[in-house]
Amino acid sequence: MQTREATDGKRYLEGYFAVFNSVYEVVPGWVETIAPGAFARYLSEGKGTKALWNHDSNIVLGNTANSTLTLREDETGLRGSIEINEADTDALNAYARVQRGDVEGCSFGFDIARQDEWWDDEGIYHTVIREVDPLYEVSPCTFPAYSATSISARSKLDELAQARERRLEKWRCEMLKKLKGDN
């Protein structure tokens, strides 16, 4: 997940709370994956989901009901954006931890509505989550179960600095060409 600041000056945490077809070892001998489309019906019905910090229901970072949390499925997985509440020190602390790279992953709390399951020839139990309902919460996490998830923080100032650096690098290259006579 990443942090960003929109043109309106707000800051966001963004990233993938779940990644499709990524293997998670629940316990030795049991592996789980999430199938593409697992969140589609739930999201299309507009049911509520909270964004929490580390699955802690005492630290609510966002809510789909008031659009401070937005969630959507794409080809990679469940992507989300959390608008940071500038008046909430927990939210600001979460943003800072992600921005510095201390927290890099995500997780989610859910019930399984539909899944496939089987044992393979090596005695490994496989589950494939086909549908989630409900999706209670999504969380930036210190120790995410699925290592393929990601979260990051960006602000408008970061974006402006990166754009300035790109312009400066382009200028440097043009000046080097001119100095070498490679107009």
Side-chain angles (χ1 to χ4, degrees), residues 132-148:
V132 166
D133 192 355
L135 175 61
Y136 297 108
E137 55 90 11
V138 295
S139 291
C141 278
T142 307
F143 301 108
Y146 287 88
S147 61

Side-chain angles (χ1 to χ4, degrees), residues 118-144:
W118 70 92
W119 292 90
D120 70 16
D121 293 338
E122 285 91 40
I124 305 293
Y125 178 61
H126 294 260
T127 54
V128 177
I129 298 171
R130 298 281 177 198
E131 188 175 337
V132 166
D133 192 355
L135 175 61
Y136 297 108
E137 55 90 11
V138 295
S139 291
C141 278
T142 307
F143 301 108

Side-chain angles (χ1 to χ4, degrees), residues 60 67 99 112 121 138 147 150:
V60 179
S67 299
Q99 185 177 42
I112 298 170
D121 293 338
V138 295
S147 61
S150 61

